[in-house]
Amino acid sequence: MSAADFRKLADLFPNETVTHSYVQDITLPGTAGKPSPGTFALVTLDNDLDHTKPTTLGPNTLVELGTVLEGLRDRAARGEIVGVGVTGKPHYLVAGADLSAVKSLEKREHGLWMAQLGHDVYATLANLGVPSFAFINGAALGGGLEIALQSTYRTVSTGAGALALPEGFLGLVPGWGGVYILPRLVGPENAVKVMIENPLSNNRTLSGAQAFRMGIADAVFEPADFLEQSLAWAAEIISGDVVPERPNAVDPSAPDSAARWTAAVDAGRKFVEGKTSNASPAPAKVLELLEANRTMTAAESAALECATLADLMQTDEFRSTVYAFLDLVQKRAKRPAGAPDRKLARPVTKVGVVGAGLMAGQLALLFARQLKVPVVLTDIDQARVDKGVAYVHAEVDKLLAKGRVSQDAANRTKALVTGSVSKEAFADADFVIEAVFEELHIKKQVFAELEGIVAPECVLATNTSSLSVTEMAADLQHPERLVGFHFFNPVAVMPLLEIVRAPRTDDAVLATAFELAKALKKTGVLVKDAAAFVVNRILLRLMGEVTAAFDEGTPADVADNALRPMGLPMSPFTLLAMVGLPVAQHVQESLHTAFGDRFPVSANLKKLIDNNVKALWENSPDGSRAVPASTLELMSFGTTPSTEEQVLRRVQDALAEEIGLMLDEGVVAGPEDIDLCMILGAGWPMFLGGITPYLDRVGAAERINGKRFLAPGVASPADGQPQQ
């Protein structure tokens, strides 16, 4: 395509936040007694905004960068410069493509132009006529890391904390050369780790040190003098005094390369199947490109990358992922709907945790590590208290052994967590949360006792997963200070906090809860006090439908595999076993009491619980699984089995009904909060966009409610139909 086409593309984005390419001429230092190699052109990528606004790559940014690089290529041809370096503003090289821009490309042709523009610009960087260097001073994601990969040499800072090619997670492929260069630089196995395993493992990234060890960077330096060290190293490279070693590099034409490529791609496909059930097209496309390009030239691979990117940009999965990642996790999560003015929040200088079991221990560890304030555990006897404190200390020791905390930090955290058999230890606490057995009368008893001990301004919180916060507060003298603060298990990992406002919870208490969530590095979502709130209500409706189909006579493998097209992180019966049959049944009974037959209570599950059966499936050494005959003998079944397709549609329709009712009840402010809760609290796949775009896409929302949850264009094409 022509420069005019690129200009036309850039003109579509007059409001793009442009990352500018600023050029500075630097005289390189001499090396080993030699004079300076000459003048070096340093390009700094900067959007002229503070460090909270990452640099990104949109069409106008790429056009400017391409123009600058063409000028430098001309200067190199005239002998004016001996090398070119690219670095970024503090904390960033580049944080990847501007997803807002990419999402708005409604025509495939425009997506193809965007892909080709990137390749055109990066090809200039790779062919300047002098060595090019990337000085990775901070985050380098997607197209940002590909800038580095297209350079001749790379240095990285130990302070650079996020290097990744996350496109498979975002519904795309690394489309500006990364999928071609990376396996040749670090080997196909490492390439699969970076492009498949890390993105599909909660979008994991590499640190600067990890990137160096893998071979992505040729040298690693400390942040304090990173640029100076990088320039000195570049001088040594240009002078010939240093030749980087690349032990992980692979020649794709070498005799053993074909077998390595095939094994890596096969391992990647197995990983994708386990993570997504192949419900998202992007990871498969990444592996197809990797497999094909072993025998391709860079130009041939570039053409295939561009065509693949253009196709994927028009998929519902990509649009849903951008909605989930950008609109929800990056934006809505930071501005919770309905949260009071943060200025109303009270300081929290000491925390109390009622209970000393597993959940209480997890909470105590989180509060101590993140807030760095004293935390007191209480329980009914000293043995339980000691066990709870010992659990926290043991978890800190594990973190220390893994190098995730220093010895000083470990010592400080341990010293902050203490225990007591008396709740009088909470007299000077600012926030007390209960983590006792999920029985309403027990929790009410706890809060009644606490009211006579804690200070008037102390916030009381319940970690209940399904019980009524309103009922817990009913007999309190000050019901306005009770709030639901529902964590998900495991506490250290799951980012969601359902913050439950009862009718009399006041704004200061609610504001304190939201500020505390932020301090704990959790995402707080405001929910109304309704049985099981959001996540558990939806999951129990889902599991209830699958279990009911099983009870009606549907074979276990049919019922459990029916939801595979949704690409959920685990099957319903696997989730049931992880939650624990008694816990799931207890919540289901609460929901049945609240909502009736939409949440049936399974007699078969009751029989399994009564007979101490922990899970439906039994895994065999060969990886297969089956329901043991002894388990089947405990249960009785109906005579109306369903097919996988029937179970899937049944679940889709049930979820559409339940979410429609939740929105009618005002459980959350809108469908976006339902999606945010399911993504952060249940691991709902990003490529589904959460749950409501999926139900819109399969037609369940309109079948059941007569309308979509989200307007066309939010997580789908603007006209509701994929563009061609």
Side-chain angles (χ1 to χ4, degrees):
M1 63 181 286
S2 67
D5 289 329
F6 290 150
R7 189 67 259 169
K8 269 193 257 179
L9 176 65
D11 288 343
L12 293 175
F13 300 93
N15 298 319
E16 176 186 338
T17 300
V18 177
T19 297
H20 296 290
S21 301
Y22 296 114
V23 182
Q24 176 185 6
D25 282 0
I26 294 172
T27 301
L28 290 176
T31 63
K34 301 176 185 176
S36 166
T39 300
F40 185 87
L42 180 66
V43 180
T44 301
L45 302 173
D46 195 338
N47 57 10
D48 298 329
L49 300 172
D50 66 38
H51 70 279
T52 65
K53 304 295 190 298
T55 46
T56 55
L57 299 165
N60 289 281
T61 295
L62 288 168
V63 168
E64 180 177 322
L65 175 59
T67 302
V68 167
L69 291 174
E70 287 169 0
L72 292 174
R73 183 179 58 193
D74 293 342
R75 290 183 65 193
R78 295 194 297 268
E80 295 176 9
I81 54 175
V82 296
V84 173
V86 180
T87 193
K89 74 175 190 178
H91 307 296
Y92 297 97
L93 178 61
V94 176
D98 182 345
L99 288 178
S100 296
V102 176
K103 179 186 176 184
S104 66
L105 296 170
E106 294 185 356
K107 294 182 179 179
R108 184 186 183 278
E109 178 187 32
H110 293 159
L112 187 62
W113 289 359
M114 179 79 170
Q116 290 172 338
L117 172 58
H119 264 290
D120 186 77
V121 172
Y122 285 21
T124 305
L125 176 64
N127 297 281
L128 288 171
V130 292
S132 59
F133 296 79
F135 302 145
I136 308 171
N137 63 303
L141 301 170
L145 185 57
E146 286 173 305
I147 286 178
L149 292 173
Q150 292 281 7
S151 302
T152 320
Y153 304 100
R154 289 158 293 279
T155 68
V156 68
S157 168
T158 57
L163 281 73
L165 292 176
E167 287 84 356
F169 165 81
L170 295 171
L172 300 173
V173 296
W176 291 335
V179 72
Y180 182 85
I181 299 169
L182 190 65
R184 289 159 170 77
L185 184 65
V186 302
E189 304 86 355
N190 281 328
V192 168
K193 179 180 179 64
V194 173
M195 296 190 294
I196 295 294
E197 293 179 17
N198 283 357
L200 298 186
S201 299
N202 296 317
N203 212 14
R204 186 183 299 152
T205 62
L206 299 172
S207 67
Q210 289 171 326
F212 170 68
R213 288 195 295 270
M214 185 177 282
I216 291 175
D218 299 304
V220 60
F221 302 114
E222 294 298 316
D225 56 353
F226 172 70
L227 184 57
E228 292 84 352
Q229 291 281 359
S230 294
L231 289 168
W233 184 83
E236 292 180 314
I237 292 289
I238 293 170
S239 298
D241 296 329
V242 170
V243 177
E245 295 182 5
R246 292 176 175 170
N248 292 335
V250 173
D251 178 356
S253 64
D256 67 335
S257 290
R260 286 184 63 183
W261 235 265
T262 298
V265 170
D266 287 347
R269 288 189 171 127
K270 185 176 180 181
F271 189 87
V272 171
E273 165 73 17
K275 284 287 187 177
T276 72
S277 300
N278 295 319
S280 172
K285 291 295 184 183
V286 173
L287 292 168
E288 286 176 20
L289 285 172
L290 175 61
E291 184 174 45
N293 74 30
R294 184 184 68 82
T295 57
M296 287 181 166
T297 65
E300 290 169 338
S301 181
L304 184 57
E305 290 165 35
C306 289
T308 303
L309 261 181
D311 290 340
L312 288 172
M313 285 180 198
Q314 299 307 314
T315 62
D316 284 327
E317 287 82 4
F318 168 65
R319 295 175 188 275
S320 292
T321 301
V322 174
Y323 158 75
F325 182 68
L326 193 64
D327 298 342
L328 300 183
V329 174
Q330 295 294 310
K331 294 181 180 177
R332 193 174 182 95
K334 292 173 178 153
R335 295 185 291 275
D341 187 338
R342 60 183 301 184
K343 294 176 184 175
L344 298 173
R346 300 168 186 161
V348 174
T349 60
K350 180 178 178 179
V351 173
V353 181
V354 184
L358 179 59
M359 177 57 78
Q362 292 184 74
L363 295 179
L365 177 60
L366 179 71
F367 285 118
R369 285 195 70 201
Q370 300 300 338
L371 302 184
K372 297 177 175 56
V373 301
V375 180
V376 181
L377 289 161
T378 66
D379 215 313
I380 58 175
D381 59 50
Q382 193 64 47
R384 286 180 172 87
V385 169
D386 291 345
K387 185 177 180 181
V389 173
Y391 166 82
V392 174
H393 288 195
E395 291 299 302
V396 172
D397 287 338
K398 289 178 187 176
L399 294 171
L400 178 62
K402 293 175 182 177
R404 293 179 57 190
V405 297
S406 67
Q407 184 66 63
D408 284 347
N411 293 341
R412 286 195 299 270
T413 302
K414 286 182 181 181
L416 288 171
V417 179
T418 58
S420 173
V421 293
S422 170
K423 295 184 181 65
E424 294 291 338
F426 300 149
D428 57 345
D430 305 300
F431 184 91
V432 178
I433 184 168
E434 66 77 21
V436 299
F437 191 67
E438 194 76 347
E439 289 287 354
L440 183 60
H441 75 275
I442 295 176
K443 293 181 186 289
K444 291 189 72 165
Q445 181 180 328
V446 165
F447 288 123
E449 187 178 353
L450 286 172
E451 260 206 317
I453 296 170
V454 299
E457 295 293 296
C458 180
V459 174
L460 300 179
T462 171
N463 185 47
T464 184
S465 60
S466 63
L467 300 177
S468 170
V469 181
T470 304
E471 187 58 34
M472 283 182 216
D475 299 326
L476 294 179
Q477 294 178 10
H478 297 284
E480 70 278 0
R481 66 175 174 181
L482 182 63
V483 65
F485 211 59
H486 179 218
F487 289 87
F488 289 80
N489 204 5
V491 169
V493 175
M494 301 303 288
L496 179 67
L497 252 174
E498 289 179 330
I499 297 179
V500 187
R501 181 172 202 164
R504 297 175 68 179
T505 305
D506 71 23
D507 283 350
V509 167
L510 205 59
T512 304
F514 274 101
E515 286 304 295
L516 199 52
K518 187 184 297 184
L520 294 171
K521 299 182 180 177
K522 302 295 183 186
T523 296
V525 175
L526 182 63
V527 303
K528 181 182 175 182
D529 187 21
F533 315 128
V534 175
V535 174
N536 285 337
R537 181 167 168 181
I538 292 173
L539 289 180
L540 266 295
R541 184 73 196 267
L542 179 153
M543 289 195 289
E545 296 296 334
V546 174
T547 302
F550 175 57
D551 290 347
E552 290 161 7
T554 304
D557 59 334
V558 172
D560 204 28
N561 289 326
L563 307 190
R564 284 176 60 80
M566 296 169 74
L568 300 180
M570 62 184 72
S571 71
F573 291 157
T574 302
L575 176 61
L576 195 62
M578 189 191 81
V579 171
L581 270 58
V583 172
Q585 189 81 334
H586 182 77
V587 178
Q588 190 79 359
E589 288 168 352
S590 298
L591 288 165
H592 179 74
T593 300
F595 301 121
D597 291 340
R598 297 202 313 276
F599 292 86
V601 177
S602 170
N604 277 334
L605 280 188
K606 180 69 166 59
K607 291 175 186 174
L608 297 185
I609 294 166
D610 290 344
N611 286 273
N612 203 31
V613 175
K614 304 294 185 185
L616 195 66
W617 294 118
E618 185 175 88
N619 295 316
S620 301
D622 64 0
S624 63
R625 61 181 189 172
V627 182
S630 58
T631 299
L632 288 172
E633 289 171 2
L634 297 171
M635 299 183 285
S636 57
F637 300 97
T639 57
T640 55
S642 300
T643 64
E644 287 189 5
E645 293 76 14
Q646 288 170 329
V647 175
L648 176 60
R649 185 176 175 112
R650 173 178 180 165
V651 169
Q652 291 169 346
D653 289 352
L655 294 177
E657 177 188 36
E658 203 60 40
I659 292 169
L661 291 168
M662 292 167 71
L663 293 172
D664 289 343
E665 295 165 17
V667 174
V668 290
E672 298 86 353
D673 289 323
I674 297 277
D675 293 327
L676 188 59
C677 284
M678 295 306 292
I679 290 166
L680 300 182
W684 210 265
M686 287 274 188
F687 62 80
L688 294 184
I691 187 169
T692 67
Y694 170 78
L695 296 174
D696 284 343
R697 191 158 62 243
V698 299
E702 291 185 271
R703 282 198 304 268
I704 300 303
N705 302 320
K707 60 181 180 180
R708 298 164 62 102
F709 289 115
L710 300 172
V714 176
S716 61
D719 62 1
Q721 299 296 323
Q723 298 287 329
Q724 299 301 322

